[in-house]
Short mmCIF file of all heavy atoms in Angstrom, two decimals:
data_model
loop_
_atom_site.label_atom_id
_atom_site.label_comp_id
_atom_site.label_asym_id
_atom_site.label_seq_id
_atom_site.Cartn_x
_atom_site.Cartn_y
_atom_site.Cartn_z
N GLY H 1 304.90 -78.18 20.80
CA GLY H 1 304.02 -78.81 19.69
C GLY H 1 302.65 -78.51 19.85
O GLY H 1 301.97 -78.34 18.88
N ASN H 2 302.18 -78.34 21.09
CA ASN H 2 300.68 -77.97 21.28
C ASN H 2 300.39 -76.68 20.70
O ASN H 2 299.28 -76.34 20.09
CB ASN H 2 300.27 -78.13 22.82
CG ASN H 2 300.35 -79.59 23.25
OD1 ASN H 2 300.04 -80.49 22.42
ND2 ASN H 2 300.46 -79.78 24.56
N GLU H 3 301.34 -75.71 20.94
CA GLU H 3 301.14 -74.40 20.53
C GLU H 3 301.14 -74.25 19.04
O GLU H 3 300.49 -73.26 18.44
CB GLU H 3 302.19 -73.42 21.10
CG GLU H 3 302.07 -73.20 22.62
CD GLU H 3 303.11 -72.37 23.22
OE1 GLU H 3 304.27 -72.56 22.85
OE2 GLU H 3 302.83 -71.60 24.14
N ILE H 4 301.79 -75.24 18.28
CA ILE H 4 301.74 -75.28 16.92
C ILE H 4 300.27 -75.51 16.42
O ILE H 4 299.89 -74.91 15.47
CB ILE H 4 302.65 -76.28 16.22
CG1 ILE H 4 304.18 -75.80 16.47
CG2 ILE H 4 302.42 -76.42 14.75
CD1 ILE H 4 305.15 -76.88 16.12
N TRP H 5 299.61 -76.47 17.07
CA TRP H 5 298.27 -76.82 16.75
C TRP H 5 297.30 -75.65 17.07
O TRP H 5 296.33 -75.48 16.42
CB TRP H 5 297.86 -78.12 17.39
CG TRP H 5 298.67 -79.13 16.93
CD1 TRP H 5 299.51 -80.00 17.70
CD2 TRP H 5 298.82 -79.74 15.58
NE1 TRP H 5 300.17 -81.05 17.04
CE2 TRP H 5 299.72 -80.87 15.58
CE3 TRP H 5 298.26 -79.40 14.37
CZ2 TRP H 5 300.03 -81.54 14.53
CZ3 TRP H 5 298.69 -80.05 13.19
CH2 TRP H 5 299.51 -81.16 13.30
N ILE H 6 297.66 -74.90 18.06
CA ILE H 6 296.81 -73.75 18.52
C ILE H 6 296.90 -72.72 17.39
O ILE H 6 295.96 -72.06 17.02
CB ILE H 6 297.31 -73.16 19.82
CG1 ILE H 6 296.97 -74.11 21.03
CG2 ILE H 6 296.68 -71.89 20.09
CD1 ILE H 6 297.55 -73.72 22.33
N LEU H 7 298.19 -72.50 16.84
CA LEU H 7 298.42 -71.55 15.68
C LEU H 7 297.54 -71.96 14.57
O LEU H 7 297.03 -71.15 13.88
CB LEU H 7 299.87 -71.43 15.35
CG LEU H 7 300.73 -70.52 16.33
CD1 LEU H 7 302.19 -70.76 15.71
CD2 LEU H 7 300.32 -69.12 16.36
N ALA H 8 297.59 -73.27 14.28
CA ALA H 8 296.85 -73.81 13.10
C ALA H 8 295.29 -73.60 13.22
O ALA H 8 294.59 -73.14 12.40
CB ALA H 8 297.11 -75.30 12.94
N ALA H 9 294.82 -73.79 14.47
CA ALA H 9 293.51 -73.49 14.78
C ALA H 9 293.09 -72.11 14.75
O ALA H 9 292.06 -71.66 14.19
CB ALA H 9 292.99 -74.02 16.24
N ILE H 10 293.98 -71.22 15.21
CA ILE H 10 293.73 -69.78 14.96
C ILE H 10 293.75 -69.40 13.51
O ILE H 10 292.81 -68.63 13.11
CB ILE H 10 294.93 -68.99 15.56
CG1 ILE H 10 294.81 -69.04 17.22
CG2 ILE H 10 294.93 -67.37 15.27
CD1 ILE H 10 295.97 -68.40 18.01
N SER H 11 294.57 -69.98 12.76
CA SER H 11 294.48 -69.75 11.28
C SER H 11 293.23 -70.13 10.64
O SER H 11 292.76 -69.45 9.75
CB SER H 11 295.79 -70.35 10.57
OG SER H 11 296.91 -69.80 10.92
N VAL H 12 292.69 -71.22 11.02
CA VAL H 12 291.38 -71.72 10.56
C VAL H 12 290.32 -70.64 10.82
O VAL H 12 289.46 -70.23 10.02
CB VAL H 12 291.00 -73.01 11.12
CG1 VAL H 12 289.52 -73.32 10.72
CG2 VAL H 12 291.84 -74.10 10.58
N ALA H 13 290.36 -70.11 12.08
CA ALA H 13 289.35 -69.12 12.50
C ALA H 13 289.54 -67.82 11.55
O ALA H 13 288.62 -67.22 11.10
CB ALA H 13 289.56 -68.79 13.92
N GLY H 14 290.85 -67.53 11.34
CA GLY H 14 291.22 -66.35 10.46
C GLY H 14 290.63 -66.55 9.00
O GLY H 14 290.35 -65.72 8.38
N GLY H 15 290.82 -67.86 8.54
CA GLY H 15 290.39 -68.24 7.16
C GLY H 15 288.88 -68.02 7.01
O GLY H 15 288.43 -67.66 6.02
N VAL H 16 288.16 -68.42 8.05
CA VAL H 16 286.74 -68.18 7.96
C VAL H 16 286.39 -66.64 7.94
O VAL H 16 285.47 -66.23 7.01
CB VAL H 16 286.02 -68.90 9.21
CG1 VAL H 16 284.54 -68.47 9.24
CG2 VAL H 16 286.14 -70.30 9.31
N ILE H 17 287.06 -65.95 8.75
CA ILE H 17 286.82 -64.48 8.73
C ILE H 17 287.28 -63.94 7.38
O ILE H 17 286.60 -63.02 6.85
CB ILE H 17 287.57 -63.80 9.82
CG1 ILE H 17 287.04 -64.27 11.18
CG2 ILE H 17 287.39 -62.30 9.77
CD1 ILE H 17 285.64 -64.02 11.39
N SER H 18 288.38 -64.42 6.80
CA SER H 18 288.78 -63.93 5.47
C SER H 18 287.84 -64.12 4.37
O SER H 18 287.60 -63.29 3.48
CB SER H 18 290.23 -64.59 5.11
OG SER H 18 290.01 -65.86 4.62
N MET H 19 287.08 -65.26 4.44
CA MET H 19 286.08 -65.51 3.51
C MET H 19 284.88 -64.54 3.65
O MET H 19 284.34 -64.04 2.64
CB MET H 19 285.59 -66.89 3.73
CG MET H 19 286.58 -68.06 3.19
SD MET H 19 285.98 -69.73 3.49
CE MET H 19 287.38 -70.64 3.08
N ILE H 20 284.58 -64.26 4.94
CA ILE H 20 283.41 -63.31 5.14
C ILE H 20 283.91 -61.94 4.56
O ILE H 20 283.11 -61.27 4.00
CB ILE H 20 283.18 -63.24 6.74
CG1 ILE H 20 282.55 -64.63 7.15
CG2 ILE H 20 282.17 -62.08 6.92
CD1 ILE H 20 282.41 -64.70 8.70
N GLY H 21 285.15 -61.59 4.86
CA GLY H 21 285.58 -60.28 4.34
C GLY H 21 285.53 -60.20 2.83
O GLY H 21 285.13 -59.20 2.19
N ASP H 22 286.07 -61.26 2.17
CA ASP H 22 285.94 -61.29 0.75
C ASP H 22 284.49 -61.27 0.16
O ASP H 22 284.24 -60.46 -0.81
CB ASP H 22 286.50 -62.66 0.23
CG ASP H 22 286.64 -62.66 -1.22
OD1 ASP H 22 287.03 -61.73 -1.82
OD2 ASP H 22 286.54 -63.78 -1.79
N LEU H 23 283.57 -61.82 0.79
CA LEU H 23 282.14 -61.85 0.29
C LEU H 23 281.55 -60.63 0.77
O LEU H 23 280.74 -60.03 -0.06
CB LEU H 23 281.36 -63.01 1.01
CG LEU H 23 281.68 -64.42 0.57
CD1 LEU H 23 281.01 -65.41 1.44
CD2 LEU H 23 281.26 -64.59 -0.88
N ALA H 24 281.87 -59.95 1.81
CA ALA H 24 281.41 -58.64 2.24
C ALA H 24 281.76 -57.58 1.17
O ALA H 24 280.93 -56.77 0.69
CB ALA H 24 281.84 -58.25 3.49
N ALA H 25 283.04 -57.66 0.71
CA ALA H 25 283.51 -56.66 -0.28
C ALA H 25 282.82 -56.88 -1.62
O ALA H 25 282.45 -55.94 -2.35
CB ALA H 25 285.02 -56.85 -0.49
N SER H 26 282.48 -58.23 -1.93
CA SER H 26 281.79 -58.49 -3.19
C SER H 26 280.35 -57.98 -3.04
O SER H 26 279.79 -57.46 -4.06
CB SER H 26 281.83 -60.03 -3.31
OG SER H 26 283.14 -60.45 -3.56
N GLY H 27 279.73 -58.08 -1.90
CA GLY H 27 278.42 -57.55 -1.63
C GLY H 27 278.37 -56.11 -1.91
O GLY H 27 277.43 -55.56 -2.59
N ILE H 28 279.32 -55.32 -1.41
CA ILE H 28 279.31 -53.81 -1.56
C ILE H 28 279.51 -53.54 -3.02
O ILE H 28 278.67 -52.69 -3.58
CB ILE H 28 280.39 -53.24 -0.84
CG1 ILE H 28 280.23 -53.44 0.70
CG2 ILE H 28 280.65 -51.75 -1.10
CD1 ILE H 28 281.45 -53.02 1.51
N LYS H 29 280.32 -54.20 -3.79
CA LYS H 29 280.50 -53.98 -5.20
C LYS H 29 279.23 -54.31 -5.99
O LYS H 29 278.81 -53.60 -6.85
CB LYS H 29 281.70 -54.84 -5.72
CG LYS H 29 283.01 -54.30 -5.32
CD LYS H 29 284.14 -54.97 -6.06
CE LYS H 29 284.31 -56.41 -5.59
NZ LYS H 29 285.61 -56.97 -6.06
N ARG H 30 278.42 -55.32 -5.58
CA ARG H 30 277.23 -55.77 -6.20
C ARG H 30 276.24 -54.70 -5.96
O ARG H 30 275.32 -54.39 -6.85
CB ARG H 30 276.80 -57.12 -5.87
CG ARG H 30 277.74 -58.23 -6.48
CD ARG H 30 277.09 -59.66 -6.29
NE ARG H 30 277.95 -60.65 -6.94
CZ ARG H 30 277.92 -60.92 -8.25
NH1 ARG H 30 277.13 -60.26 -8.96
NH2 ARG H 30 278.70 -61.86 -8.74
N ASN H 31 276.18 -54.23 -4.73
CA ASN H 31 275.07 -53.17 -4.45
C ASN H 31 275.33 -51.95 -5.29
O ASN H 31 274.24 -51.30 -5.56
CB ASN H 31 275.32 -52.84 -3.05
CG ASN H 31 274.68 -53.79 -1.98
OD1 ASN H 31 275.01 -53.79 -0.73
ND2 ASN H 31 273.74 -54.68 -2.42
N TYR H 32 276.45 -51.58 -5.62
CA TYR H 32 276.69 -50.44 -6.41
C TYR H 32 277.15 -50.69 -7.78
O TYR H 32 277.59 -49.75 -8.51
CB TYR H 32 277.96 -49.59 -5.63
CG TYR H 32 277.39 -48.95 -4.40
CD1 TYR H 32 277.57 -49.61 -3.17
CD2 TYR H 32 276.69 -47.77 -4.36
CE1 TYR H 32 277.00 -49.07 -2.00
CE2 TYR H 32 276.15 -47.28 -3.14
CZ TYR H 32 276.37 -47.84 -2.00
OH TYR H 32 275.77 -47.36 -0.88
N GLU H 33 277.00 -52.02 -8.29
CA GLU H 33 277.18 -52.41 -9.58
C GLU H 33 278.52 -51.98 -10.25
O GLU H 33 278.62 -51.36 -11.21
CB GLU H 33 275.97 -51.79 -10.46
CG GLU H 33 274.71 -52.31 -10.02
CD GLU H 33 273.46 -51.71 -10.85
OE1 GLU H 33 273.76 -50.79 -11.56
OE2 GLU H 33 272.39 -52.28 -10.73
N ILE H 34 279.70 -52.33 -9.49
CA ILE H 34 280.96 -52.09 -9.93
C ILE H 34 281.59 -53.49 -10.01
O ILE H 34 281.45 -54.36 -9.21
CB ILE H 34 281.64 -51.11 -9.21
CG1 ILE H 34 281.82 -51.53 -7.78
CG2 ILE H 34 281.05 -49.69 -9.27
CD1 ILE H 34 282.67 -50.70 -6.74
N LYS H 35 282.64 -53.57 -10.89
CA LYS H 35 283.47 -54.74 -10.96
C LYS H 35 284.61 -54.79 -9.95
O LYS H 35 284.94 -55.71 -9.33
CB LYS H 35 284.04 -55.01 -12.35
CG LYS H 35 284.72 -56.25 -12.55
CD LYS H 35 285.12 -56.44 -13.99
CE LYS H 35 285.88 -57.74 -14.30
NZ LYS H 35 287.06 -57.92 -13.52
N ASP H 36 285.27 -53.63 -9.96
CA ASP H 36 286.44 -53.52 -9.07
C ASP H 36 286.38 -52.11 -8.32
O ASP H 36 285.79 -51.28 -8.89
CB ASP H 36 287.77 -53.60 -9.83
CG ASP H 36 287.99 -54.91 -10.49
OD1 ASP H 36 287.80 -55.89 -9.72
OD2 ASP H 36 288.37 -55.01 -11.68
N TYR H 37 287.16 -52.06 -7.25
CA TYR H 37 287.19 -50.72 -6.48
C TYR H 37 287.98 -49.82 -7.17
O TYR H 37 287.94 -48.57 -7.07
CB TYR H 37 287.62 -51.01 -5.06
CG TYR H 37 286.62 -51.57 -4.15
CD1 TYR H 37 286.47 -52.85 -3.81
CD2 TYR H 37 285.56 -50.73 -3.71
CE1 TYR H 37 285.60 -53.38 -2.99
CE2 TYR H 37 284.57 -51.25 -2.79
CZ TYR H 37 284.56 -52.62 -2.58
OH TYR H 37 283.72 -53.08 -1.65
N GLY H 38 289.07 -50.18 -7.95
CA GLY H 38 289.97 -49.36 -8.64
C GLY H 38 290.85 -50.07 -9.64
O GLY H 38 290.57 -51.32 -9.90
N LYS H 39 291.81 -49.47 -10.10
CA LYS H 39 292.72 -50.02 -11.18
C LYS H 39 294.18 -49.81 -10.68
O LYS H 39 295.09 -49.96 -11.54
CB LYS H 39 292.54 -49.45 -12.49
CG LYS H 39 291.11 -49.58 -13.01
CD LYS H 39 290.89 -48.99 -14.40
CE LYS H 39 289.51 -49.17 -14.96
NZ LYS H 39 289.30 -48.51 -16.23
N LEU H 40 294.36 -49.59 -9.43
CA LEU H 40 295.75 -49.28 -8.96
C LEU H 40 296.77 -50.50 -9.19
O LEU H 40 297.79 -50.33 -9.54
CB LEU H 40 295.75 -48.99 -7.43
CG LEU H 40 297.13 -48.52 -6.80
CD1 LEU H 40 297.62 -47.25 -7.47
CD2 LEU H 40 296.83 -48.30 -5.33
N ILE H 41 296.24 -51.69 -8.94
CA ILE H 41 297.11 -52.92 -9.11
C ILE H 41 296.59 -53.68 -10.29
O ILE H 41 295.57 -54.28 -10.37
CB ILE H 41 296.86 -53.88 -7.79
CG1 ILE H 41 297.16 -53.04 -6.64
CG2 ILE H 41 297.81 -55.00 -7.91
CD1 ILE H 41 296.79 -53.88 -5.29
N PRO H 42 297.53 -53.61 -11.32
CA PRO H 42 297.05 -54.13 -12.69
C PRO H 42 296.76 -55.64 -12.52
O PRO H 42 297.43 -56.46 -11.83
CB PRO H 42 298.35 -53.99 -13.57
CG PRO H 42 299.02 -52.80 -12.89
CD PRO H 42 298.80 -52.89 -11.43
N GLY H 43 295.55 -56.12 -13.09
CA GLY H 43 295.11 -57.39 -13.03
C GLY H 43 294.37 -57.85 -11.70
O GLY H 43 293.87 -58.94 -11.60
#
């Protein structure tokens, strides 16, 4: 049971990093004035 909460805490740390990754990718796109990196995945 304790390890389940450790997993949940790890996921929160991962969630914070995922937001940073999302914003970093947005920053690169804004620097180069593009909306998307590509069109490989429709939508």
Side-chain angles (χ1 to χ4, degrees):
N2 288 334
E3 286 174 326
I4 291 176
W5 298 118
I6 292 175
L7 282 180
I10 288 174
S11 289
V12 171
V16 173
I17 298 299
S18 76
M19 292 181 187
I20 295 174
D22 186 33
L23 291 172
S26 297
I28 295 173
K29 288 190 285 187
R30 288 190 178 278
N31 282 160
Y32 291 93
E33 299 180 346
I34 60 172
K35 184 180 183 297
D36 294 315
Y37 283 103
K39 299 180 180 179
L40 181 64
I41 308 172

